[in-house]
Amino acid sequence: MGKIIIREQEFSFEQIKTGNWSAQDPYFAQALYFCKDWLTGKTEFELSTSGSTGTPKTIQVNRNQMEISAKATRDFFGIEKDAKLLCCLNTEMIAGKMMLVRGMEWEAYIYLIKPQSNPLEELNQIFDFAAMVPLQVDTCLQNPDTYLKMQQIINLIIGGAPSSRSLLEKIAEMRLNAYQTYGMTETVSHIALAKIEGAELVYKVLPGVQIGVDQSNRLWVKAPMAKENILQTNDVVELLNSQLFKWIGRADFTINSGGIKLQPEILEPKMADAIFPVFGKVDFFLIGKEDEKLGQKTVLVIEHPKDEKKASDLIIELKKGLERYQVPKEILFNPSFTKTESGKINRIASYKNSL
């Protein structure tokens, strides 16, 4: 009938439904209360958007949306009853909540742990299905013990942020059955998945999802798990056919420098090979800054204390691998990036606080 396992304690769905559980850590308690609401038939839920490109907002989603999403994922992967699921994402956000919903709808065994950089460190279970963010996957692969555990996960979805080129190549080399997700809170989790077989990703929509683009090649989505009839996104894509697309980047991140449009999400992975040897494995991003001559100039913001010597060294390295117009015109530093509740970099806030 399915259970939730927390620190070797097992809670049957019937036990959760009746509220019959002992005092828990506040994080686990809120997850169990959400599960109780679900199991007792609650029909409306309040969710927060990530706020990665603006102010976070609260939206209402209904039970039917979440049920449709869970079924589409189950059908895609062929998950069977009594499967073992790992829930290591923040259950206050949509990604974590949907892992709980999937587990309950699939009558699965849900292993619930607090979000941490290496969720497999203290676990020895083989999972049929797990969801992680890129940071978690990367950390697990760097640890010799959890490296082997990652290979045993039968189906892995990765979301919350784009995976780096090096991580995608590492996953492909290991031949993990891993998929990068595409979705948003408004579609209650992913509506498309890309099998990771190298650095280039091609997304395939879930059953029942229709897609298209507007005149600016921004993706629109018509999905049974969304409230809106047609949901217009701000994501620039290359549409391959009615079911497949390549994600290019956010339209609101596009930099128009001297009439040349630069997409940060395409340039950033190329820059990583030059940045990491100079600064270590730091977070960074590109952003457009108003410029009287160019309209916008490209600025590189690095999560690191200010270091002009290293900045000069980096520019030399970047010029070796990029076109002249792709090289940042300025490098700024921020010792600690501002993050959204879901862990994404808030580019605008981090840029405003840079040095």
Side-chain angles (χ1 to χ4, degrees), residues 258-307:
I260 298 174
K261 290 186 178 180
L262 303 172
Q263 200 66 48
E265 295 92 337
I266 292 177
L267 285 176
E268 288 163 358
K270 295 179 181 179
M271 292 183 173
D273 292 339
I275 293 172
F276 293 162
V278 177
F279 286 97
K281 202 155 190 182
V282 294
D283 281 333
F284 66 93
F285 62 88
L286 293 171
I287 197 166
K289 179 180 180 180
E290 284 190 25
D291 183 82
E292 189 173 327
K293 182 180 178 182
L294 297 171
Q296 285 184 309
K297 67 177 180 179
T298 308
V299 175
L300 173 63
V301 186
I302 302 175
E303 189 175 36
H304 192 278
K306 191 171 184 178
D307 192 324

Side-chain angles (χ1 to χ4, degrees), residues 166-181:
S166 60
L167 179 58
L168 292 173
E169 290 173 347
K170 193 182 300 181
I171 290 169
E173 185 181 334
M174 289 179 64
R175 297 188 177 181
L176 297 182
N177 189 40
Y179 293 76
Q180 184 79 31
T181 67

Side-chain angles (χ1 to χ4, degrees), residues 8-122:
E8 298 184 354
Q9 278 188 288
E10 295 188 356
F11 302 89
S12 70
F13 290 165
E14 191 60 37
Q15 186 179 356
I16 295 168
K17 187 176 180 179
T18 59
N20 181 23
W21 67 78
S22 55
Q24 288 288 322
D25 172 287
Y27 176 81
F28 295 122
Q30 68 84 20
L32 289 172
Y33 278 117
F34 170 77
C35 291
K36 179 186 176 184
D37 285 343
W38 183 268
L39 292 166
T40 53
K42 187 173 179 179
T43 57
E44 291 287 330
F45 298 87
E46 200 171 78
L47 301 176
S48 297
T49 61
S50 65
S52 55
T53 59
T55 305
K57 60 182 179 181
T58 299
I59 65 171
Q60 295 286 332
V61 300
N62 61 53
R63 184 186 188 91
N64 187 51
Q65 290 177 259
M66 300 168 90
E67 288 173 338
I68 291 170
S69 176
K71 184 180 185 302
T73 301
R74 182 178 192 170
D75 291 345
F76 186 95
F77 289 105
I79 304 295
E80 297 182 356
K81 183 179 175 181
D82 295 331
K84 294 178 175 61
L85 275 61
L86 172 62
C87 181
C88 57
L89 302 175
N90 185 353
T91 54
E92 293 185 11
M93 306 299 290
I94 183 59
K97 277 185 166 57
M98 279 307 301
M99 281 301 293
L100 296 175
V101 170
R102 291 179 191 122
M104 290 183 286
E105 287 296 293
W106 301 350
E107 297 183 62
Y109 292 86
I110 308 168
Y111 290 75
L112 177 61
I113 67 170
K114 287 184 178 181
Q116 58 194 64
S117 59
N118 192 330
L120 298 178
E121 204 161 20
E122 297 176 8

Side-chain angles (χ1 to χ4, degrees), residues 227-279:
K227 274 187 176 180
E228 296 87 348
N229 183 38
I230 294 181
L231 183 64
Q232 178 63 62
T233 78
N234 216 16
D235 290 311
V236 179
V237 303
E238 178 186 347
L239 194 65
L240 302 179
N241 60 36
S242 62
Q243 292 188 312
L244 303 175
F245 66 91
K246 293 180 182 178
W247 182 77
I248 305 301
R250 296 281 302 180
D252 46 359
F253 292 161
T254 301
I255 301 167
N256 191 333
S257 185
I260 298 174
K261 290 186 178 180
L262 303 172
Q263 200 66 48
E265 295 92 337
I266 292 177
L267 285 176
E268 288 163 358
K270 295 179 181 179
M271 292 183 173
D273 292 339
I275 293 172
F276 293 162
V278 177
F279 286 97

Side-chain angles (χ1 to χ4, degrees), residues 193-247:
L193 294 161
K195 179 72 183 290
I196 299 174
E197 298 175 311
E200 189 173 11
L201 297 175
V202 176
Y203 290 89
K204 182 176 182 179
V205 297
L206 294 181
V209 175
Q210 299 176 44
I211 55 173
V213 293
D214 67 5
Q215 292 181 338
S216 301
N217 286 320
R218 295 182 308 159
L219 183 73
W220 57 256
V221 176
K222 187 174 183 180
M225 59 281 286
K227 274 187 176 180
E228 296 87 348
N229 183 38
I230 294 181
L231 183 64
Q232 178 63 62
T233 78
N234 216 16
D235 290 311
V236 179
V237 303
E238 178 186 347
L239 194 65
L240 302 179
N241 60 36
S242 62
Q243 292 188 312
L244 303 175
F245 66 91
K246 293 180 182 178
W247 182 77

